[in-house]
Amino acid sequence: MQADPSIARALTDGDGLAEYRLRFLSAEPVEPSQVRETILASWWRSRQSNVAADRVDMPYIHDPNLDTPLTRSAEPVLRQLHEQLAGQPVSIVLTDPAGLVLTRLTADADLERHLDTVQLAPGFSYAEKFVGTNGIGTALEGGRPMHVFGHEHYAENLEDLACAGVPIQHPISGKTVGAVDLTCWRKDAGPLLITLAKTTADQIRQALLTDAGAQEVELLQEYLRACRRTPGIVFALNDDVVMMNDYARTMLAPADQAALFRQAAEALAGQRGSVLIELPTGIKVQLFTRPVGGQPLVGVVIHAKVVEDGVTKTQDGGTRARMLLPGLVGSGALWRRACDEVESVYPSGEWLALEGEPGVGKLAILRAVHQRRDPGGRFSVLDAAEATDQRWLAARRVLLDDNDNAGTLVIRHLDRLDGVRLRALSAALQEACNADRKQTARVAVAFGPGSKSEEFARLLRLFPSTVDVPPLRHHVEDMQQLVPFLLARLGYAGQLTCSPETLELLMRSSWPGNIEQVFQMLRQVVHHRRTGSIQPRDLPPEIRTVCRRLLSPLESLERDAIAQGLVNAQGNKAKAAKSLGMSRATIYRKIHEFGIVAHTR
């Protein structure tokens, strides 16, 4: 069998890899052909997680749980391999699904001492977010076998080692329950290291299956049969195992999943049949329960069918929690507050200003509130970025139209108007305010964030209040509802879902283009994936590889302030630091931590 050329290059081109790694750490360009794609993607993730490259620094658990189905099943497999490798400088490592080292077996004393110095020992976590690129953490992060040789490691303390890690999936649930890793000196590594690690992982999976017993196998078979026969939400459980299909994970909020599990647990006593229940978010589902096995009961398989009338026609509070306003979804606190503030102003007829980044949904909120509060009224939109003199005249007629249903006029991209047109619009708005008419049109303006001219500020005095619409990164938890909603807009409701791994990637991205960027990204995805489940490989490269940790709202605000400060300072970090009241050392650290690119004008 011919070795993979990329593996051979990693094994032999140590000096070259060291140079490429140094270039990457110095923020210099690295050609993708110079470093394996999986390694380069892991380097990017490590940088975005702010992993230290000059040391290993990881959490420690004094007394990890060593009495689990994984450790019990793996123990004889690892012992046998350890005996076969007697005297060889190879260490056998078993971890939990979070990368926490549970067991280490090493026959070579020198290698043993070195692994202690780099904390590859029981109780320490080798997750990628703590250590950077390594066989254990990167295999678990990618969900597939991974070999990392020498200078491919992100942390320089590991450059003398080579490792091959393989995730271990439970043979019944399919859930990743841990990983097995083989580590040796870099000089002793070979392409068969990963093959041996894969064989060991397969043996552990087989041992897990044997230990699971015939009852769990029967439950698995019934679950898979239901998934093939039945579209929609399918899950199965017994006292030890829970299985759920991707459609259920994507469509159901965590609270809904918990409610279904409670109902299923009650059915474990139970009888074949169906029941109608309402979930915490207001969705009504019909549950069809199928007991598996005789007495005692092996488990239950449940198919849940969403009752559409319970969501789209009823007007109870639960439904409104899911569909906040007509044509909108989302339950994030900042997003809901913006929607509530706009709706609270509507009955008074007060003119309103909406401020927010492009693509956050300013126009969508205004349209949704108008549709709920005045569905028969006129709703006119004037895009200031494309306005002509004739369109300005049409807008002026709407403002001065004296009838019983003046409707709503929205002027978007207000910040793109020059001084002349700002003054003309101010005059028309002032004239509408002063006119003696039965009813005045509701006027709303939408614009982006940032400093404004004096003329702009004078115009805003005609609008008593301003609502800030948050960027998507400040309510990224709404991605769980937003993705299926946008897929439905694209015409793929029920045909295309988003896998949990993909959803996690989407939630870790910063989305500078906000909701509109997500919509355009999904439009690109459906060109080549029209049914089934969207996997990480289906996403554009920039979403797959630039995967950062989730930022808190406070961190996001801090990042935005630094980015705006750099823009105002034309990329001068010292000047930006002074304007923000922080030291240069702090702003350099924050720029690296948040992944900010400082452009100069």
Side-chain angles (χ1 to χ4, degrees), residues 586-597:
T586 299
I587 198 171
Y588 284 133
R589 178 171 59 83
K590 293 291 186 180
I591 288 172
H592 174 71
E593 179 181 349
F594 295 144
I596 299 171
V597 178

Side-chain angles (χ1 to χ4, degrees), residues 383-397:
D383 192 334
E386 302 173 354
T388 62
D389 291 338
Q390 290 183 344
R391 295 197 65 190
W392 280 123
L393 290 173
R396 189 172 181 276
R397 284 195 297 270

Side-chain angles (χ1 to χ4, degrees), residues 44 47 84-85 102 122 282 307 365 368 423 446 486 501 579 597:
W44 275 108
R47 173 185 286 178
Q84 294 171 347
L85 296 175
L102 303 174
V307 180
I365 293 176
R423 286 189 290 273
L486 294 179
E501 297 81 8
S579 68
V597 178

Side-chain angles (χ1 to χ4, degrees), residues 54-193:
D54 58 348
R55 64 185 186 279
V56 288
D57 184 13
M58 65 201 76
Y60 174 73
I61 296 179
H62 177 67
D63 189 21
N65 183 12
L66 299 181
D67 185 19
T68 66
L70 172 65
T71 54
R72 292 193 296 269
S73 299
E75 196 272 338
V77 176
L78 300 183
R79 287 291 176 189
Q80 182 181 11
L81 178 61
H82 181 57
E83 293 172 2
Q84 294 171 347
L85 296 175
Q88 298 298 316
V90 178
S91 182
I92 308 164
V93 178
L94 180 72
T95 80
D96 74 359
L100 178 69
V101 178
L102 303 174
T103 303
R104 187 187 74 187
L105 301 173
T106 312
D108 183 79
D110 290 338
L111 181 60
E112 181 97 353
R113 284 191 293 270
H114 184 72
L115 295 183
D116 285 339
T117 64
V118 296
Q119 300 176 345
L120 182 51
F124 290 98
S125 175
Y126 254 68
E128 192 180 71
K129 64 181 178 180
F130 299 129
V131 191
T133 308
N134 73 93
I136 295 170
T138 305
L140 288 170
E141 183 75 21
R144 58 175 176 168
M146 178 63 62
H147 44 263
V148 180
F149 298 114
H151 298 289
E152 290 182 330
H153 289 93
Y154 192 79
E156 64 183 26
N157 308 61
L158 306 177
E159 60 188 7
D160 290 332
L161 299 174
C163 49
V166 180
I168 302 170
Q169 280 84 30
H170 194 280
I172 294 178
S173 66
K175 181 181 178 181
T176 299
V177 294
V180 63
D181 170 79
L182 301 181
T183 295
C184 66
W185 297 111
R186 182 184 66 186
K187 60 183 178 60
D188 297 326
L192 293 180
L193 192 67

Side-chain angles (χ1 to χ4, degrees), residues 173-228:
S173 66
K175 181 181 178 181
T176 299
V177 294
V180 63
D181 170 79
L182 301 181
T183 295
C184 66
W185 297 111
R186 182 184 66 186
K187 60 183 178 60
D188 297 326
L192 293 180
L193 192 67
I194 189 69
T195 303
L196 183 57
K198 289 178 182 178
T199 302
T200 305
D202 288 339
Q203 292 174 349
I204 295 174
R205 276 193 292 268
Q206 185 60 45
L208 282 167
L209 181 60
T210 302
D211 293 342
Q215 290 185 336
E216 282 78 4
V217 173
E218 183 180 0
L219 180 63
L220 170 64
Q221 291 173 341
E222 283 297 324
Y223 165 73
L224 295 176
R225 195 174 294 121
C227 289
R228 289 192 296 268

Side-chain angles (χ1 to χ4, degrees), residues 231-249:
I233 300 168
V234 179
F235 61 101
L237 78 165
N238 61 16
D239 291 335
D240 300 314
V241 175
V242 175
M243 294 173 278
M244 186 191 318
N245 63 353
D246 283 343
Y247 183 80
R249 293 191 190 97

